[in-house]
Amino acid sequence: MADGCGTGREAPCPGAAAALRRWEQLRRRAAAPWARGLLAVAAGLGLFYAALRVPLRLRDGLAAVTVFLSTLTPKFYFALTVTSSFISGLIFVFEWWHFRKYGTSFIEQVSVSHLRPLIGGVENSPPAPAAFSAGENEANRQNMPECKMWRNPLNLFRGAEYSRYMWVTGKEPLTYYDMNLSAQDHQNFFTCDTDALRPSDTVMQKAWRERNPQARIKAAYQALELNNDLLLLSCSSNNWVICGSLPCYSCATAYVLLAEEEATTIVDAERYFKQALKAGELIYRRSQNCHSQSPQHEAQLRRDTNVLVYVKRRLAMCARKLGRIRESVKMMRDLMKEFPLLSMLNIHENLLEALLELQAYADVQAVLAKYDDISLPKSAAICYTAALLKARAVSERFSPETAFKRGLSTAEINAVEAIHRAVEFNPHVPKYLLEMKSLVLPPEHILKRGDSEAVAYAFFHLQHWKRIEGALHLLHCTWEGTFRMIPYPLEKGHLFYPYPSCTETADRELLPTFHEVSVYPQKELPFFIHFTAGLCSCSAMLALLTHQFPELMVVFAKAVNTLDSQLIVQSLLVKIEGERGSAFLLF
């Protein structure tokens, strides 16, 4: 019978069993209290040894540093302070420039964008909105800043007004971002899916996407030539391919482009728009008769409606600019009656401005009664016109001294509340009305409650405020009181939603670079601008003192270095003594 260790169902080997028993005994002994005490003593001895050796090395290192600093010359300290002042000055200038242009600190932006993810800042980010409940989602949606771009209802003509400004001043009044938004609007308003069926409309599709103004004008003339050729061919054959697809439509859009960009005077623009109106009315009537035949015809009717409304509105604006104000008011009223569902185009703001020019304040009040409703979107024109009408009733006899003595009357209280309401909606407008900031030509798009809307409103309505005696004086005395009513920081509003935080960035894209964008609330200078400015000033002062009094500053620097070394040594010794005491206690 073999003596080896068995396998299968045989009994285990006696050597392996003995090893297992010794391992279990060792584990029980290690778990005993006396074993844990022995390990603690060993750790305490290690800490004690480290506490004895570290101070000796630390003192030697600090002594070497002190000897090195004591041998430095005044030239070294002067060069050091000058270099420090120069570098900190460069950082300060760059930080100031970045803050003035972008409204943020470059160092803070880099820290948030690049350093926070490296130190684990992403892990602490808030959960996704999908994890919130429906009520929280609705609340967060309402609290989100609204930065929708709106078409300026009173936008100027590119050829007759914007281009003339550029010829005179040499400054570009429109930004690329603003013109790009206009190109998108033109493509949405004046094109549809069936344009590929007509060569002239295909040319106009490309024209609206062109960046070069001369290329757009050339394409418009090309569309007119194609339209005339196709018109002659169609008349000779007396056969229309698609109901409502007369080439006169492309003629209308081509005339629109020429009126907007080629015409150098309002008279020329009006002439082009009258030609566009004839073609637009013809194709609109044909589209009305055929719009129920297919979805393509419905799309054509929407497009033809947009063209007709646009042309009639611009004709009314031409009449307003040429002094035919009553004719302009009639055209706007007829347009609003004919297309009541197109209120999102804000034609009533054009009507308000024309009625104010006529000084028809009763008609202005009637328009406000219809459109200054809680369910309709507000605008600076609505809010400030309402404030102007209420200020008109009391501004002529208003006096701050008299009001302070006897108190405000009911009419004065209503006027002041209307001004506070308007200022809360757009706090940038009063500075332009009071001529505390210079005006520029308004952009083609505006951001509601932003500086771009304030520029557009004040550009056209400043004359109406000046016409009413005492209105600007009442505004000057009361508009700043609005900010005492609004909570700060702007976590909630008073009469409107909280002021959005995105307006500054959007306004910088809409307004030209030579215009100083108004910012609300006024941002405080970032910490790093104060820090770099202080560092640059201190370094420059030290450099000047070192240059004037080299020996004295060297003695001062050596004394400071010696004092700093002694303080560092003492603090480290105190810390080490504390660790040594804890080691003895543990021992």
Side-chain angles (χ1 to χ4, degrees):
M1 188 179 196
D3 295 333
C5 295
T7 58
R9 296 185 180 181
E10 296 180 0
C13 178
L20 289 174
R21 285 194 299 271
R22 286 194 298 270
W23 174 250
E24 291 296 334
Q25 291 176 0
L26 183 61
R27 287 182 57 187
R28 286 194 296 270
R29 291 175 181 176
W34 64 269
R36 294 181 179 179
L38 184 61
L39 291 176
V41 170
L45 290 175
L47 291 174
F48 179 71
Y49 177 75
L52 291 177
R53 287 185 58 85
V54 169
L56 298 177
R57 293 183 177 180
L58 196 59
R59 286 175 178 172
D60 294 340
L62 290 175
V65 171
T66 304
V67 172
F68 171 75
L69 294 175
S70 62
T71 58
L72 296 177
T73 61
K75 293 183 179 180
F76 171 81
Y77 287 106
F78 178 72
L80 178 65
T81 52
V82 169
T83 305
S84 176
S85 177
F86 177 73
I87 295 175
S88 57
L90 290 179
I91 298 174
F92 168 71
V93 171
F94 178 76
E95 275 284 298
W96 178 261
W97 170 83
H98 193 275
F99 176 75
R100 296 287 294 176
K101 186 173 183 180
Y102 301 104
T104 58
S105 168
F106 176 77
I107 300 177
E108 292 180 1
Q109 185 177 0
V110 170
S111 302
V112 172
S113 303
H114 301 283
L115 298 183
R116 181 176 293 179
L118 297 178
I119 61 177
V122 179
E123 297 178 359
N124 298 327
S125 59
F132 294 148
S133 62
E136 291 174 341
N137 276 331
E138 181 65 16
N140 291 334
R141 185 188 66 81
Q142 293 179 357
N143 291 332
M144 288 178 61
E146 179 64 28
C147 287
K148 176 183 177 182
M149 303 298 175
W150 295 76
R151 184 81 177 177
N152 184 4
L154 301 170
N155 65 308
L156 305 177
F157 295 88
R158 284 196 186 180
E161 292 172 308
Y162 287 121
S163 296
R164 292 169 68 90
Y165 176 84
M166 185 175 62
W167 296 338
V168 173
T169 63
K171 298 179 180 179
E172 180 62 54
L174 296 176
T175 63
Y176 173 76
Y177 179 73
D178 191 17
M179 292 189 289
N180 186 40
L181 291 177
S182 298
Q184 296 177 15
D185 291 341
H186 294 153
Q187 294 177 52
N188 293 332
F189 291 161
F190 304 146
T191 62
C192 66
D193 297 336
T194 60
D195 288 346
L197 301 177
R198 294 174 297 277
S200 55
D201 284 348
T202 303
V203 172
M204 288 307 301
Q205 273 191 337
K206 296 179 180 178
W208 296 122
R209 293 195 294 265
E210 284 287 347
R211 295 185 179 180
N212 187 0
Q214 296 302 322
R216 289 194 295 268
I217 295 173
K218 182 179 179 181
Y221 278 114
Q222 182 182 357
L224 288 175
E225 293 177 1
L226 291 174
N227 178 78
N228 293 333
D229 296 340
L230 184 59
L231 181 61
L232 293 175
L233 178 63
S234 301
C235 290
S236 62
S237 62
N238 195 20
N239 181 23
W240 303 108
V241 179
I242 298 177
C243 180
S245 63
L246 270 173
C248 295
Y249 172 79
S250 64
C251 191
T253 55
Y255 282 129
V256 168
L257 192 148
L258 293 176
E260 291 287 350
E261 302 198 19
E262 189 193 38
T264 57
T265 63
I266 302 298
V267 175
D268 294 339
E270 186 181 33
R271 177 171 53 83
Y272 279 124
F273 275 122
K274 286 181 178 179
Q275 293 176 304
L277 179 62
K278 294 179 181 179
E281 287 180 337
L282 176 62
I283 192 63
Y284 176 72
R285 287 194 296 268
R286 291 182 175 273
S287 298
Q288 277 186 317
N289 297 330
C290 305
H291 75 278
S292 59
Q293 295 183 4
S294 66
Q296 289 78 10
H297 290 91
E298 293 181 1
Q300 289 181 15
L301 178 60
R302 288 193 297 270
R303 187 264 313 273
D304 298 338
T305 303
N306 293 335
V307 173
L308 186 61
V309 172
Y310 186 89
V311 171
K312 287 187 174 181
R313 180 181 191 169
R314 296 302 263 179
L315 277 173
M317 295 176 66
C318 289
R320 163 69 181 90
K321 293 176 184 294
L322 294 175
R324 306 194 305 269
I325 305 175
R326 296 189 182 278
E327 177 186 348
S328 174
V329 169
K330 183 179 182 303
M331 295 175 66
M332 293 177 190
R333 290 188 185 275
D334 294 341
L335 184 59
M336 294 169 64
K337 290 179 181 179
E338 186 178 1
F339 302 98
L341 298 180
L342 296 179
S343 59
M344 75 288 296
L345 298 178
N346 297 324
I347 304 175
H348 58 275
E349 296 191 13
N350 299 81
L351 180 60
L352 284 175
E353 197 277 329
L355 290 174
L356 287 173
E357 181 65 21
L358 288 175
Q359 301 184 35
Y361 298 112
D363 294 336
V364 174
Q365 185 62 53
V367 175
L368 288 177
K370 181 178 180 180
Y371 290 97
D372 192 5
D373 187 80
I374 191 173
S375 61
L376 297 177
K378 297 293 181 293
S379 65
I382 293 291
C383 296
Y384 278 90
T385 303
L388 177 62
L389 292 186
K390 293 186 177 180
R392 173 176 171 267
V394 299
S395 59
E396 186 175 356
R397 299 177 302 275
F398 177 79
S399 173
E401 295 79 8
T402 305
F404 179 77
K405 293 179 181 178
R406 62 171 173 81
L408 295 175
S409 63
T410 303
E412 290 173 341
I413 291 176
N414 293 335
V416 172
E417 289 179 350
I419 291 176
H420 287 176
R421 172 178 178 261
V423 174
E424 181 181 353
F425 182 83
N426 194 317
H428 309 283
V429 173
K431 291 184 178 181
Y432 294 106
L433 293 180
L434 299 173
E435 298 181 279
M436 300 167 62
K437 282 179 64 68
S438 59
L439 279 171
V440 295
L441 293 186
E444 293 183 338
H445 289 79
I446 60 174
L447 179 66
K448 288 194 174 182
R449 308 187 73 178
D451 190 36
S452 53
E453 184 190 32
V455 170
Y457 173 80
F459 185 84
F460 294 99
H461 288 262
L462 176 59
Q463 55 180 334
H464 307 315
W465 281 81
K466 288 183 175 181
R467 185 179 294 119
I468 298 177
E469 184 179 357
L472 290 176
H473 177 64
L474 178 61
L475 177 67
H476 175 73
C477 296
T478 58
W479 75 278
E480 291 183 338
T482 308
F483 306 117
R484 293 192 293 268
M485 304 167 57
I486 304 175
Y488 186 83
L490 304 177
E491 72 277 359
K492 61 179 181 178
H494 179 60
L495 299 175
F496 299 98
Y497 285 115
Y499 189 81
S501 59
C502 63
T503 56
E504 179 186 358
T505 304
D507 283 332
R508 292 184 188 277
E509 296 288 339
L510 290 173
L511 294 169
T513 55
F514 56 84
H515 173 71
E516 184 180 357
V517 176
S518 177
V519 179
Y520 174 79
Q522 193 66 35
K523 291 186 177 180
E524 298 180 358
L525 290 178
F527 164 75
F528 286 103
I529 290 184
H530 293 287
F531 177 76
T532 53
L535 182 61
C536 177
S537 302
C538 293
S539 301
M541 183 61 66
L542 290 176
L544 179 62
L545 293 175
T546 305
H547 183 266
Q548 295 293 330
F549 312 101
E551 300 297 335
L552 182 61
M553 291 302 295
V554 168
V555 173
F556 175 74
K558 291 180 180 180
V560 171
N561 292 330
T562 304
L563 182 60
D564 289 342
S565 301
Q566 293 177 356
L567 292 176
I568 293 173
V569 170
Q570 290 179 2
S571 61
L572 290 175
L573 288 177
V574 170
K575 184 177 180 181
I576 293 172
E577 289 294 338
E579 293 180 355
R580 184 184 301 174
S582 60
F584 278 118
L585 183 60
L586 181 62
F587 179 75

